[in-house]
Amino acid sequence: MSRWIKDVSNSIMMQPVTAVKGIGAERAIELAALQIETVQDLLEHFPYRYEDYRVRDLSEVQDGEKITIIGTVYGEPVVRFYGAKKSRITVKVVVDNIVVTAIWFNRGFLKSQLRAGREIMLSGKFERARLQIMVSEQHFLDTERVKVQEGTIQPVYSITGGMQVKQMRRFIIAALEQFGDSIDEILPEDLVRKYKLASRRDAIRNIHFPESVQAGKQGRRRLAFEELLLFQLRLQAYHAINRQARDGVAQHVPLEKVHTFIHSLPFPLTNAQKRVIKEILDDMQAPYSMNRLLQGDVGSGKTVVAAIALLATIEAGYQGALMVPTEILAEQHYETLSELLAPHGIEVALLSGSATVRKRRDILGGLQSGLIQVIVGTHALIQEDVYFAKLGLVITDEQHRFGVEQRRILREKGLNPDVLFMTATPIPRTLAITAFGDMDVSTIDELPAGRKPIETYWVRHDMLDRILAFVRKELDRGRQAYVISPLIEESEKLDLQNAIDVHAQLSQYFAGTYRVGLMHGRLVPREKDEVMQQFSRNEVQVLVSTTVVEVGVNVPNASVMVIYDAERFGLAQLHQLRGRVGRGAEQSYCILIADPKSETGKERMRIMTETNDGFEVAQRDLELRGPGDFFGTKQSGLPEFKVADVVQDYRMLEVARQEAADMVRGEAFWSSPQYRALRAYLKQDEYFLTKIKD
């Protein structure tokens, strides 16, 4: 969960949850399963939605909406039984001269109470066409004390065990009555005034039990801003302290040698590449440790930027390391960097898990002595027996595939070396600020000159013959093709094309003319490497594969990407796969074979055919899937906010980031009493404990 402030100075709020009337030891155990252990935890257990019990006019209600109505029972109820213990009871109710059919399931005991003429309040899902309401709750207004008052909005909470939502409501009402006046303000007064925020006390009351829709929105707005500000405050304070510490390596880079290297390249750099190179070199020459994310679309030229940064650190007298997630990618980077750097007298080596004992020993010796200046490798680089003579720059490619611990170990193999993270997964600005807010971000948002946009088409499965004829035409022109399938072998549960069947089908179709290779995740690294080498050398013209080719394979001669069952892939993955072609001078094509059933699936296909811009694809992907699924599951490093939503609240996130950055840059934040609560929040983190004196 997101890190909310634990105000240890306010002992009232830090009391155990059993201090709340009505909560005993047994309930406390159930609440602990929801991470509710103190009064403050309970008050910050916010609702995830609301039941709207405001009585509304039927003319305003949309089909399928949950509504509350008041009417009069009309006629006799009808009960029908089916199955062993199942029943359905219906009765007519007159609401503002409109006859509505009320329906209950398995509530036969209500028959005797549904007498004609009784006034009744009903809540449930309304079917407009049939004038029916599926009742979830009812109250007879002539005799029953209405538990949920007409005109109110009631919170719905996450619960556990044998607990009911109404019990959680009672606990929070009791906590607000007992301790609501003890809720302290934690934001400085000028910030609350500047953004017209509700007080923390009012916000917490209104997010639980809003007196009106507007009051609920104001409560949420205040708490979402607070949550984003606290999160950004940690990132910006870390960033500021890291820079002030000046314990990094100030590399004295001979810029004239860097310029000579750039002029020797067989192609001109784009303006975007020049901009990010300047940002990186400025950081490397500064006395603090660089912590920068380099993001750029597929084919935007990140590897050349990495090569220039590595050359700069070598010329400054240091070593450089590039860590990548797979052996295929490591070998490709090794070949590219050797080609670029070796003519300038720089020794580049490759260290992977499959290296022989002797080869590994030679490489480790070369690293320790300083003879090897640039090392490229997989996670083999972070093993204990790897030592550097003078490590100055660490680069990790597709960094979100490595855990935080793996990145930390590599960094610690030098004395606070500069660190550059690279990703070919374009990240929308809101997620970059959230997931990588402690980093500076450099973006290559321009493709090299001469690159032709990939033409993308969405077709149905019944057009397969035409697609294969088109692929043959490209092969006849000397080109190559990828064919991607979402599964390795046939699955009984999913009616999808699978790689093995597709390989057999295409081998027969192209028999005697072109070779068809097969690659998937179950092959051992040596087998994958062999297949890729055959494809790279054009010994195999069609490569059938699962998504293992998604990252890091560079075959400029490939001009066609065919993706079976494309609706099974996310937008980011489809864009990554599409980026495997379009790397040469020839026109390239991406063909999506899909029969999506859902609107989301159809929308994905439309987006892919409308744009080649990875950042636009990423933003649309974020809007379709939400932030939690953008990077994949828990490895993403994204916080799970209780109230804020980085998609919906992106403007608020920008404001919170700027305010947090301005705060930590000023002297007042580190000493003034009005920021004491925020400093206390930071000191919950051990990193800040010794760095903030209060």
Side-chain angles (χ1 to χ4, degrees), residues 376-565:
V376 181
T378 58
H379 60 277
L381 290 181
I382 61 174
Q383 291 175 358
E384 284 186 15
D385 59 348
V386 179
Y387 297 97
F388 291 82
K390 198 177 181 183
L391 182 61
L393 175 65
V394 171
I395 303 177
T396 57
D397 194 17
E398 291 306 320
Q399 62 87 31
H400 60 280
R401 295 189 169 212
F402 294 105
V404 174
E405 186 67 10
Q406 289 174 307
R407 300 199 302 264
R408 182 189 64 78
I409 292 170
L410 181 56
R411 184 172 190 163
E412 288 180 354
K413 289 187 177 290
L415 187 63
N416 291 328
D418 289 318
V419 179
L420 180 66
F421 303 102
M422 298 200 304
T423 180
T425 305
I427 303 163
R429 181 168 169 76
T430 49
L431 287 197
I433 289 173
T434 309
F436 309 114
D438 59 330
M439 300 181 194
D440 295 300
V441 178
S442 290
T443 302
I444 305 179
D445 50 7
E446 181 184 0
L447 289 177
R451 284 282 174 93
K452 294 179 180 176
I454 300 163
E455 293 182 13
T456 304
Y457 301 95
W458 166 27
V459 300
R460 307 286 179 174
H461 282 82
D462 58 13
M463 292 180 67
L464 185 59
D465 288 344
R466 287 179 61 185
I467 295 163
L468 294 180
F470 177 76
V471 172
R472 182 184 285 280
K473 184 179 171 185
E474 282 294 296
L475 299 182
D476 290 345
R477 295 177 63 236
R479 307 290 161 229
Q480 290 166 270
Y482 293 97
V483 178
I484 306 298
S485 174
L487 292 177
I488 298 171
E489 293 170 346
E490 190 173 357
S491 164
E492 292 178 5
K493 294 181 180 178
L494 295 171
D495 181 22
L496 302 172
Q497 289 286 347
N498 62 82
I500 290 173
D501 277 359
V502 170
H503 177 257
Q505 178 187 11
L506 296 187
S507 295
Q508 185 175 356
Y509 182 85
F510 292 113
T513 53
Y514 298 110
R515 282 190 64 196
V516 181
L518 174 63
M519 188 166 78
H520 53 71
R522 289 188 193 166
L523 297 179
V524 298
R526 181 181 50 76
E527 292 171 322
K528 287 182 192 172
D529 185 52
E530 179 58 28
V531 175
M532 275 314 306
Q533 291 297 338
Q534 289 174 350
F535 190 58
S536 296
R537 294 191 295 262
N538 202 2
E539 293 166 9
V540 163
Q541 288 73 47
V542 179
L543 180 62
V544 176
S545 175
T546 55
T547 57
V548 291
V549 300
E550 178 186 341
V551 172
V553 181
N554 187 23
V555 182
N557 192 50
S559 64
V560 185
M561 168 65 68
V562 179
I563 305 175
Y564 278 81
D565 302 300

Side-chain angles (χ1 to χ4, degrees), residues 304-319:
V304 173
V305 172
I308 293 167
L310 288 166
L311 175 119
T313 203
I314 304 311
E315 295 292 356
Y318 295 88
Q319 291 169 293

Side-chain angles (χ1 to χ4, degrees), residues 17 20-24 27-28 30-31 42-43 163-179 209:
V17 75
V20 177
K21 289 174 185 173
I23 299 179
R27 284 293 181 216
E30 288 185 336
L31 290 169
L42 181 61
L43 289 176
M163 196 180 297
Q164 295 180 325
V165 170
K166 61 185 179 183
Q167 290 172 312
M168 183 66 80
R169 287 177 188 157
R170 284 204 301 271
F171 295 155
I172 291 173
I173 288 170
L176 285 168
E177 287 175 352
Q178 283 178 255
F179 303 107
F209 299 101

Side-chain angles (χ1 to χ4, degrees), residues 87-101:
S87 65
R88 181 177 188 266
I89 184 168
T90 61
V91 73
K92 303 293 185 186
V93 177
V94 179
V95 182
D96 295 331
N97 296 320
I98 297 172
V99 178
V100 174
T101 303

Side-chain angles (χ1 to χ4, degrees), residues 566-571 574 592 599-609 621 624-625:
E567 73 273 18
R568 299 291 303 176
F569 299 99
L571 270 174
L574 288 172
L592 309 171
E599 278 306 312
T600 301
K602 292 173 186 174
E603 182 64 15
R604 279 197 198 121
M605 299 305 106
R606 282 192 287 266
I607 291 167
M608 286 295 295
T609 58
D621 195 19
L624 280 177
R625 290 200 288 165

